[in-house]
Protein backbone atom coordinates (compact mmCIF):
# COMPACT_ATOMS: atom_id res chain seq x y z
CA UNK A 1 0.00 0.00 0.00
CA UNK A 2 2.80 2.35 0.97
CA UNK A 3 4.59 1.53 -2.25
CA UNK A 4 1.50 2.50 -4.33
CA UNK A 5 1.17 5.86 -2.52
CA UNK A 6 4.84 6.70 -3.13
CA UNK A 7 4.55 5.83 -6.79
CA UNK A 8 1.43 7.99 -7.10
CA UNK A 9 3.16 11.02 -5.48
CA UNK A 10 6.22 10.63 -7.71
CA UNK A 11 4.07 10.53 -10.83
CA UNK A 12 2.29 13.72 -9.73
CA UNK A 13 5.56 15.54 -9.26
CA UNK A 14 6.78 14.48 -12.68
CA UNK A 15 3.57 15.75 -14.25
CA UNK A 16 4.14 19.32 -12.96
CA UNK A 17 5.25 21.92 -15.63
CA UNK A 18 8.97 22.40 -15.94
CA UNK A 19 8.58 26.16 -15.50
CA UNK A 20 7.18 25.66 -12.06
CA UNK A 21 10.45 24.07 -11.01
CA UNK A 22 12.73 27.00 -12.16
CA UNK A 23 13.55 30.12 -10.16
CA UNK A 24 12.47 33.33 -11.83
CA UNK A 25 15.31 35.66 -13.04
CA UNK A 26 14.64 39.38 -12.58
CA UNK A 27 14.55 41.43 -15.85
CA UNK A 28 17.61 43.57 -16.56
CA UNK A 29 17.16 47.32 -16.65
CA UNK A 30 18.03 49.06 -19.93
CA UNK A 31 21.13 51.30 -19.75
CA UNK A 32 20.42 55.02 -19.95
CA UNK A 33 21.54 56.59 -23.26
CA UNK A 34 24.86 58.45 -23.07
CA UNK A 35 24.38 62.17 -23.69
CA UNK A 36 27.41 63.89 -25.24
CA UNK A 37 27.42 67.59 -24.53
CA UNK A 38 28.54 69.77 -27.47
CA UNK A 39 31.85 71.57 -27.06
CA UNK A 40 31.92 75.34 -26.64
CA UNK A 41 33.04 75.73 -30.27
CA UNK A 42 30.28 73.43 -31.53
CA UNK A 43 27.64 75.31 -29.53
CA UNK A 44 28.91 78.66 -30.82
CA UNK A 45 28.88 77.32 -34.37
CA UNK A 46 25.22 76.31 -33.94
CA UNK A 47 24.40 79.72 -32.48
CA UNK A 48 25.94 81.44 -35.53
CA UNK A 49 24.41 79.09 -38.08
CA UNK A 50 21.23 81.05 -38.77
CA UNK A 51 23.34 84.12 -39.63
CA UNK A 52 25.53 82.31 -42.20
CA UNK A 53 26.32 84.66 -45.07
CA UNK A 54 25.52 83.79 -48.66
CA UNK A 55 28.90 83.95 -50.36
CA UNK A 56 29.97 82.76 -53.80
CA UNK A 57 33.37 81.07 -53.57
CA UNK A 58 34.67 81.07 -57.11
CA UNK A 59 37.93 79.23 -56.50
CA UNK A 60 40.22 77.67 -53.91
CA UNK A 61 43.85 76.60 -53.89
CA UNK A 62 46.01 74.79 -51.31
CA UNK A 63 49.45 76.37 -50.84
CA UNK A 64 52.39 76.33 -48.45
CA UNK A 65 51.65 78.33 -45.32
CA UNK A 66 55.02 80.12 -45.44
CA UNK A 67 54.35 81.62 -48.88
CA UNK A 68 50.55 81.90 -48.86
CA UNK A 69 50.55 85.64 -49.64
CA UNK A 70 51.73 84.85 -53.17
CA UNK A 71 48.21 83.56 -53.92
CA UNK A 72 46.70 87.03 -53.24
CA UNK A 73 46.43 88.79 -56.61
CA UNK A 74 45.55 92.30 -55.46
CA UNK A 75 45.44 95.25 -57.83
CA UNK A 76 47.36 98.41 -56.97
CA UNK A 77 44.03 100.01 -56.02
CA UNK A 78 43.72 97.57 -53.12
CA UNK A 79 47.12 98.38 -51.62
CA UNK A 80 49.78 95.81 -50.81
CA UNK A 81 50.18 92.98 -48.31
CA UNK A 82 53.62 91.65 -47.39
CA UNK A 83 55.40 89.87 -44.56
CA UNK A 84 56.79 91.86 -41.67
CA UNK A 85 60.29 90.62 -42.48
CA UNK A 86 60.27 91.72 -46.11
CA UNK A 87 58.75 95.12 -45.28
CA UNK A 88 60.89 96.09 -42.27
CA UNK A 89 63.88 94.00 -43.37
CA UNK A 90 64.27 92.04 -40.15
CA UNK A 91 63.20 88.70 -38.71
CA UNK A 92 61.65 89.96 -35.46
CA UNK A 93 58.08 88.93 -36.38
CA UNK A 94 58.27 85.91 -38.75
CA UNK A 95 54.51 85.30 -38.80
CA UNK A 96 53.29 88.90 -38.94
CA UNK A 97 52.04 90.75 -42.02
CA UNK A 98 52.02 94.40 -43.07
CA UNK A 99 49.31 96.13 -45.11
CA UNK A 100 50.16 99.38 -46.96
CA UNK A 101 47.38 101.51 -48.44
CA UNK A 102 47.09 102.49 -52.11
CA UNK A 103 48.82 105.84 -51.57
CA UNK A 104 51.73 104.11 -49.89
CA UNK A 105 51.70 106.59 -47.01
CA UNK A 106 50.10 104.55 -44.24
CA UNK A 107 50.60 101.00 -42.99
CA UNK A 108 49.06 98.62 -40.47
CA UNK A 109 50.90 95.68 -38.96
CA UNK A 110 51.12 93.28 -36.04
CA UNK A 111 53.96 93.29 -33.52
CA UNK A 112 54.10 91.18 -30.37
CA UNK A 113 50.49 90.15 -30.94
CA UNK A 114 49.14 93.72 -31.11
CA UNK A 115 48.08 95.85 -34.09
CA UNK A 116 49.86 99.12 -34.87
CA UNK A 117 49.72 101.80 -37.56
CA UNK A 118 52.33 104.21 -38.89
CA UNK A 119 52.45 107.08 -41.39
CA UNK A 120 55.10 107.76 -44.02
CA UNK A 121 56.53 111.21 -43.34
CA UNK A 122 59.08 112.17 -45.96
CA UNK A 123 61.16 109.03 -46.40
CA UNK A 124 60.63 107.61 -42.91
CA UNK A 125 57.82 105.83 -41.12
CA UNK A 126 56.52 107.51 -37.99
CA UNK A 127 56.66 105.97 -34.56
CA UNK A 128 54.09 103.09 -34.51
CA UNK A 129 50.84 103.87 -32.71
CA UNK A 130 48.70 101.05 -31.26
CA UNK A 131 45.15 100.64 -32.55
CA UNK A 132 42.78 101.42 -29.70
CA UNK A 133 39.18 100.34 -29.11
CA UNK A 134 39.15 97.02 -30.99
CA UNK A 135 38.54 94.91 -27.89
CA UNK A 136 40.52 92.42 -25.82
CA UNK A 137 42.26 89.57 -27.62
CA UNK A 138 45.00 87.10 -26.81
CA UNK A 139 46.71 87.87 -30.11
CA UNK A 140 45.95 89.92 -33.24
CA UNK A 141 47.49 89.78 -36.72
CA UNK A 142 46.82 90.01 -40.49
CA UNK A 143 45.34 93.54 -40.80
CA UNK A 144 43.70 94.77 -44.01
CA UNK A 145 42.12 98.18 -44.55
CA UNK A 146 39.50 98.77 -47.23
CA UNK A 147 39.95 101.63 -49.69
CA UNK A 148 37.64 103.81 -47.58
CA UNK A 149 40.43 104.11 -45.02
CA UNK A 150 37.93 103.30 -42.29
CA UNK A 151 36.94 99.61 -42.44
CA UNK A 152 39.58 97.33 -40.93
CA UNK A 153 39.68 93.53 -41.09
CA UNK A 154 42.05 91.51 -38.95
CA UNK A 155 42.43 88.07 -37.34
CA UNK A 156 42.56 87.40 -33.63
CA UNK A 157 42.47 84.70 -30.99
CA UNK A 158 39.71 85.39 -28.51
CA UNK A 159 37.91 83.56 -25.72
CA UNK A 160 34.68 84.30 -27.61
CA UNK A 161 35.90 83.00 -30.98
CA UNK A 162 35.11 79.73 -32.72
CA UNK A 163 38.64 78.48 -32.11
CA UNK A 164 42.11 79.38 -33.33
CA UNK A 165 42.27 82.62 -35.30
CA UNK A 166 38.93 84.19 -36.23
CA UNK A 167 38.36 87.07 -38.67
CA UNK A 168 36.99 90.32 -37.20
CA UNK A 169 35.92 93.68 -38.64
CA UNK A 170 35.98 97.16 -37.12
CA UNK A 171 35.65 100.77 -38.27
CA UNK A 172 37.65 103.81 -37.36
CA UNK A 173 35.78 106.57 -35.53
CA UNK A 174 37.37 109.90 -36.48
CA UNK A 175 35.45 111.68 -33.70
CA UNK A 176 37.16 109.68 -30.94
CA UNK A 177 40.38 108.75 -32.74
CA UNK A 178 39.71 105.12 -31.86
CA UNK A 179 38.28 102.02 -33.53
CA UNK A 180 34.84 100.67 -32.73
CA UNK A 181 34.59 97.38 -30.86
CA UNK A 182 35.32 94.73 -33.48
CA UNK A 183 32.74 92.13 -34.54
CA UNK A 184 33.28 88.50 -35.52
CA UNK A 185 32.45 88.21 -39.26
CA UNK A 186 30.85 84.81 -38.55
CA UNK A 187 30.20 81.91 -40.90
CA UNK A 188 31.34 80.73 -43.40
CA UNK A 189 34.58 82.70 -42.99
CA UNK A 190 35.34 81.41 -39.50
CA UNK A 191 35.65 77.90 -38.14
CA UNK A 192 37.22 75.97 -35.26
CA UNK A 193 40.51 76.08 -37.24
CA UNK A 194 42.64 79.14 -38.04
CA UNK A 195 40.99 81.63 -40.44
CA UNK A 196 42.80 84.84 -41.35
CA UNK A 197 44.11 87.41 -43.89
CA UNK A 198 40.74 88.61 -45.15
CA UNK A 199 41.43 90.99 -48.06
CA UNK A 200 39.19 92.63 -50.66
CA UNK A 201 40.17 93.99 -54.07
CA UNK A 202 37.28 96.36 -54.72
CA UNK A 203 38.55 97.25 -58.18
CA UNK A 204 38.20 93.65 -59.40
CA UNK A 205 35.31 92.69 -57.09
CA UNK A 206 37.33 89.86 -55.52
CA UNK A 207 38.00 88.81 -51.95
CA UNK A 208 40.46 86.38 -50.39
CA UNK A 209 40.94 84.65 -47.07
CA UNK A 210 43.16 81.86 -45.77
CA UNK A 211 42.27 78.88 -43.57
CA UNK A 212 43.91 75.69 -42.39
CA UNK A 213 40.59 73.86 -41.88
CA UNK A 214 40.86 70.29 -43.21
CA UNK A 215 44.49 70.91 -44.23
CA UNK A 216 47.67 68.99 -43.34
CA UNK A 217 50.42 70.59 -41.30
CA UNK A 218 52.18 73.40 -43.15
CA UNK A 219 49.40 73.90 -45.73
CA UNK A 220 46.57 76.42 -46.00
CA UNK A 221 43.66 76.83 -48.38
CA UNK A 222 43.14 80.23 -50.03
CA UNK A 223 39.50 80.84 -50.93
CA UNK A 224 38.61 83.41 -53.59
CA UNK A 225 35.10 84.87 -53.24
CA UNK A 226 32.83 87.63 -54.50
CA UNK A 227 32.27 90.19 -51.69
CA UNK A 228 28.70 91.23 -50.98
CA UNK A 229 27.76 94.91 -50.79
CA UNK A 230 25.29 94.01 -48.05
CA UNK A 231 25.17 91.04 -45.70
CA UNK A 232 22.79 88.39 -47.08
CA UNK A 233 22.01 85.26 -45.07
CA UNK A 234 20.55 81.92 -46.10
CA UNK A 235 16.81 81.47 -45.54
CA UNK A 236 15.48 78.25 -44.09
CA UNK A 237 12.59 78.25 -46.58
CA UNK A 238 15.14 78.04 -49.41
CA UNK A 239 17.67 75.63 -47.87
CA UNK A 240 17.25 73.02 -45.14
CA UNK A 241 19.38 73.03 -42.00
CA UNK A 242 21.84 70.40 -43.32
CA UNK A 243 22.44 72.38 -46.52
CA UNK A 244 23.04 75.61 -44.57
CA UNK A 245 25.42 73.77 -42.24
CA UNK A 246 27.32 72.49 -45.28
CA UNK A 247 27.60 76.01 -46.72
CA UNK A 248 28.81 77.29 -43.34
CA UNK A 249 31.61 74.70 -43.37
CA UNK A 250 32.39 75.34 -47.09
CA UNK A 251 32.13 71.63 -47.83
CA UNK A 252 31.81 72.24 -51.60
CA UNK A 253 32.43 75.60 -53.24
CA UNK A 254 30.46 74.41 -56.30
CA UNK A 255 27.31 74.55 -54.16
CA UNK A 256 27.64 78.35 -54.14
CA UNK A 257 27.98 78.87 -57.91
CA UNK A 258 24.32 79.04 -58.93
CA UNK A 259 24.13 78.77 -62.73
CA UNK A 260 27.88 79.45 -62.94
CA UNK A 261 27.66 82.52 -65.18
CA UNK A 262 28.75 85.09 -62.60
CA UNK A 263 31.61 82.85 -61.50
CA UNK A 264 32.84 82.45 -65.09
CA UNK A 265 32.68 86.19 -65.74
CA UNK A 266 34.56 86.98 -62.54
CA UNK A 267 37.29 84.43 -63.21
CA UNK A 268 37.70 85.70 -66.75
CA UNK A 269 38.04 89.30 -65.54
CA UNK A 270 40.53 88.27 -62.86
CA UNK A 271 42.65 86.18 -65.23
CA UNK A 272 42.73 88.84 -67.93
CA UNK A 273 43.70 91.52 -65.42
CA UNK A 274 46.55 89.33 -64.26
CA UNK A 275 47.89 88.82 -67.78
CA UNK A 276 47.78 92.45 -68.94
CA UNK A 277 51.10 94.21 -68.33
CA UNK A 278 51.01 97.67 -66.77
CA UNK A 279 52.23 100.58 -68.83
CA UNK A 280 55.85 101.44 -68.13
CA UNK A 281 56.40 105.05 -67.11
CA UNK A 282 59.91 106.39 -67.69
CA UNK A 283 59.35 110.01 -66.70
CA UNK A 284 59.18 111.18 -63.12
CA UNK A 285 56.14 112.98 -61.79
CA UNK A 286 54.93 114.27 -58.43
CA UNK A 287 51.40 113.16 -59.30
CA UNK A 288 50.07 109.65 -59.71
CA UNK A 289 46.50 108.45 -60.08
CA UNK A 290 45.47 104.81 -60.49
CA UNK A 291 42.40 104.53 -62.71
CA UNK A 292 42.38 100.74 -62.78
CA UNK A 293 44.86 97.89 -62.79
CA UNK A 294 46.02 98.81 -66.31
CA UNK A 295 45.83 102.61 -66.45
CA UNK A 296 47.90 104.97 -64.31
CA UNK A 297 47.94 108.75 -64.90
CA UNK A 298 50.90 110.92 -63.95
CA UNK A 299 49.73 114.19 -65.52
CA UNK A 300 46.58 116.23 -64.91
CA UNK A 301 46.11 116.42 -68.68
CA UNK A 302 45.81 112.61 -68.90
CA UNK A 303 42.21 112.68 -67.68
CA UNK A 304 39.50 112.15 -70.30
CA UNK A 305 36.49 113.27 -68.27
CA UNK A 306 35.86 117.01 -68.69
CA UNK A 307 35.62 117.74 -64.95
CA UNK A 308 38.36 115.42 -63.73
CA UNK A 309 41.35 117.66 -64.53
CA UNK A 310 40.10 120.30 -62.09
CA UNK A 311 39.14 117.71 -59.50
CA UNK A 312 42.54 116.03 -59.86
CA UNK A 313 44.25 119.38 -59.30
CA UNK A 314 42.28 119.78 -56.09
CA UNK A 315 43.21 116.21 -55.14
CA UNK A 316 46.88 117.02 -55.66
CA UNK A 317 46.64 119.97 -53.28
CA UNK A 318 44.73 117.90 -50.72
CA UNK A 319 47.42 115.23 -50.81
CA UNK A 320 50.10 117.87 -50.26
CA UNK A 321 48.17 119.29 -47.29
CA UNK A 322 47.71 115.79 -45.95
CA UNK A 323 51.48 115.13 -45.99
CA UNK A 324 52.25 118.48 -44.38
CA UNK A 325 49.61 117.94 -41.70
CA UNK A 326 51.00 114.49 -40.98
CA UNK A 327 54.50 115.91 -40.62
CA UNK A 328 53.32 118.60 -38.18
CA UNK A 329 51.35 116.04 -36.21
CA UNK A 330 54.40 113.80 -35.84
CA UNK A 331 56.55 116.72 -34.68
CA UNK A 332 54.00 117.65 -32.02
CA UNK A 333 53.79 114.05 -30.84
CA UNK A 334 57.56 113.77 -30.52
CA UNK A 335 57.88 117.10 -28.70
CA UNK A 336 55.06 116.09 -26.35
CA UNK A 337 56.75 112.77 -25.56
CA UNK A 338 60.35 114.00 -25.16
CA UNK A 339 60.59 117.74 -24.37
CA UNK A 340 57.26 119.24 -23.28
CA UNK A 341 56.82 120.31 -19.65
CA UNK A 342 53.58 119.92 -17.72
CA UNK A 343 52.17 123.30 -18.81
CA UNK A 344 53.05 122.69 -22.46
CA UNK A 345 51.55 119.21 -22.44
CA UNK A 346 48.16 120.55 -21.41
CA UNK A 347 48.09 122.85 -24.45
CA UNK A 348 49.69 120.33 -26.83
CA UNK A 349 47.21 117.63 -25.93
CA UNK A 350 44.30 119.69 -27.26
CA UNK A 351 46.28 120.73 -30.35
CA UNK A 352 47.28 117.16 -31.15
CA UNK A 353 43.70 115.95 -30.76
CA UNK A 354 42.40 118.67 -33.08
CA UNK A 355 45.17 117.98 -35.59
CA UNK A 356 44.40 114.24 -35.54
CA UNK A 357 40.73 114.87 -36.24
CA UNK A 358 41.62 117.18 -39.14
CA UNK A 359 44.14 114.63 -40.44
CA UNK A 360 41.72 111.71 -40.50
CA UNK A 361 38.89 113.82 -41.96
CA UNK A 362 41.21 114.98 -44.76
CA UNK A 363 42.20 111.40 -45.45
CA UNK A 364 38.52 110.46 -45.68
CA UNK A 365 37.84 113.37 -48.06
CA UNK A 366 40.78 112.33 -50.26
CA UNK A 367 39.41 108.79 -50.49
CA UNK A 368 35.98 110.02 -51.52
CA UNK A 369 37.37 112.42 -54.13
CA UNK A 370 39.57 109.66 -55.58
CA UNK A 371 36.53 107.41 -55.81
CA UNK A 372 34.47 110.09 -57.58
CA UNK A 373 37.26 110.85 -60.05
CA UNK A 374 37.88 107.18 -60.79
CA UNK A 375 34.20 106.43 -61.32
CA UNK A 376 33.78 109.32 -63.78
CA UNK A 377 36.95 108.45 -65.64
CA UNK A 378 36.05 104.78 -66.09
CA UNK A 379 32.63 105.73 -67.48
CA UNK A 380 34.27 108.10 -69.96
CA UNK A 381 37.01 105.80 -71.28
CA UNK A 382 34.64 102.83 -71.59
Amino acid sequence: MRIKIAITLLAGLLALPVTAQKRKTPARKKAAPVVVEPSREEQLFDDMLEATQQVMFIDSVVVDKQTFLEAYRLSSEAGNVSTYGSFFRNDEQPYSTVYVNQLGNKCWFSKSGQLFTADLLGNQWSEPAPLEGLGRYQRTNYPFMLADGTTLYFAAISDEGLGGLDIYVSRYDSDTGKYLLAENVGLPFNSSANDYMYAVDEMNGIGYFATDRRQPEGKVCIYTFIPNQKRIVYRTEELDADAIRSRARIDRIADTWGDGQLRAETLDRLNNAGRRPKEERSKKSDFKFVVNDDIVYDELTDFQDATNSKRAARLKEMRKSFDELGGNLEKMRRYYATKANIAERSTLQAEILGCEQEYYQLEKDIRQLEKDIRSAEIKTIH
Side-chain angles (χ1 to χ4, degrees):
M1 185 66 180
R2 291 180 179 177
I3 293 174
K4 289 183 178 181
I5 294 172
I7 292 172
T8 302
L9 291 172
L10 180 59
L13 289 172
L14 292 174
L16 290 173
V18 177
T19 55
Q21 301 176 39
K22 292 184 178 181
R23 180 180 295 176
K24 292 184 178 180
T25 303
R28 292 183 179 180
K29 294 182 179 180
K30 293 183 179 180
V34 178
V35 179
V36 179
E37 295 292 335
S39 65
R40 187 195 68 82
E41 291 81 6
E42 291 172 335
Q43 185 61 54
L44 186 56
F45 180 92
D46 289 339
D47 293 341
M48 290 183 173
L49 196 58
E50 64 179 13
T52 300
Q53 292 188 57
Q54 285 192 44
V55 181
M56 181 180 293
F57 293 96
I58 65 172
D59 201 5
S60 64
V61 59
V62 177
V63 299
D64 290 336
K65 182 178 180 179
Q66 292 183 341
T67 57
F68 80 96
L69 286 178
E70 295 177 3
Y72 284 63
R73 300 164 57 188
L74 298 174
S75 67
S76 56
E77 168 68 17
N80 181 64
V81 180
S82 61
T83 63
Y84 186 98
S86 63
F87 185 81
F88 289 108
R89 300 185 184 280
N90 64 57
D91 298 325
E92 294 177 359
Q93 308 288 324
Y95 300 105
S96 294
T97 59
V98 179
Y99 170 72
V100 181
N101 66 356
Q102 175 218 349
L103 296 176
N105 61 2
K106 195 175 186 67
C107 69
W108 292 260
F109 59 92
S110 173
K111 185 175 182 180
S112 301
Q114 186 178 1
L115 293 181
F116 291 84
T117 186
D119 298 302
L120 185 63
L121 306 174
N123 295 321
Q124 292 185 336
W125 289 100
S126 65
E127 191 69 22
L131 272 57
E132 299 180 354
L134 295 174
R136 299 181 62 182
Y137 305 96
Q138 298 175 26
R139 180 161 58 93
T140 53
N141 201 349
Y142 308 105
F144 185 88
M145 178 68 74
L146 291 186
D148 62 9
T150 300
T151 307
L152 176 74
Y153 288 92
F154 64 96
I157 295 178
S158 167
D159 293 336
E160 299 178 355
L162 278 167
L165 287 164
D166 275 21
I167 300 169
Y168 291 83
V169 62
S170 177
R171 288 170 179 80
Y172 182 78
D173 185 355
S174 59
D175 292 334
T176 63
K178 298 180 180 180
Y179 285 83
L180 301 177
L181 185 65
E183 298 179 356
N184 190 303
V185 300
L187 307 173
F189 296 107
N190 288 324
S191 68
S192 58
N194 292 301
D195 308 280
Y196 52 96
M197 201 60 260
Y198 183 105
V200 174
D201 183 342
E202 295 177 277
M203 174 63 68
N204 287 319
I206 292 292
Y208 301 88
F209 86 99
T211 178
D212 60 13
R213 66 180 86 175
R214 302 187 292 271
Q215 300 304 318
E217 185 69 25
K219 296 287 186 178
V220 294
C221 182
I222 309 299
Y223 284 102
T224 307
F225 63 93
I226 299 178
N228 294 321
Q229 296 296 323
K230 296 181 179 180
R231 186 186 181 99
I232 306 172
V233 301
Y234 289 106
R235 301 170 59 184
T236 53
E237 54 265 34
E238 297 174 353
L239 287 177
D240 60 31
D242 289 339
I244 295 176
R245 185 177 294 273
S246 178
R247 301 288 202 285
R249 294 191 301 251
I250 321 180
D251 289 341
R252 275 172 30 95
I253 64 173
D255 292 339
T256 69
W257 293 349
D259 61 9
Q261 182 176 352
L262 179 57
R263 174 181 181 264
E265 292 174 352
T266 305
L267 282 175
D268 183 62
R269 182 176 68 253
L270 182 63
N271 292 331
N272 287 335
R275 286 196 298 266
R276 289 193 296 265
K278 294 181 181 179
E279 181 182 356
E280 294 291 337
R281 297 280 178 163
S282 58
K283 58 182 178 179
K284 294 182 179 179
S285 173
D286 61 350
F287 178 80
K288 177 182 177 182
F289 189 88
V290 178
V291 179
N292 57 31
D293 203 38
D294 309 299
I295 303 174
V296 179
Y297 294 163
D298 52 22
E299 296 288 348
L300 299 180
T301 55
D302 288 340
F303 290 94
Q304 303 298 309
D305 181 83
T307 61
N308 270 348
S309 293
K310 292 183 178 180
R311 289 197 288 189
R314 187 166 78 254
L315 174 65
K316 184 178 179 180
E317 292 301 317
M318 290 172 67
R319 286 177 176 178
K320 182 179 179 181
S321 299
F322 181 78
D323 291 339
E324 292 175 351
L325 188 60
N328 292 334
L329 181 59
E330 182 61 21
K331 289 178 181 178
M332 285 192 292
R333 286 171 174 168
R334 287 178 180 175
Y335 186 85
Y336 181 91
T338 60
K339 298 180 179 180
N341 56 38
I342 297 177
E344 289 175 324
R345 286 192 174 191
S346 178
T347 302
L348 273 175
Q349 190 172 18
E351 291 181 1
I352 290 173
L353 180 59
C355 190
E356 284 178 338
Q357 291 176 341
E358 184 181 354
Y359 180 82
Y360 290 118
Q361 182 60 49
L362 183 56
E363 183 180 33
K364 186 177 180 180
D365 293 341
I366 289 173
R367 294 289 187 187
Q368 185 60 51
L369 182 56
E370 288 175 337
K371 186 176 180 180
D372 294 340
I373 294 173
R374 185 172 295 109
S375 177
E377 193 68 15
I378 290 174
K379 288 180 180 179
T380 299
I381 63 181
H382 290 293

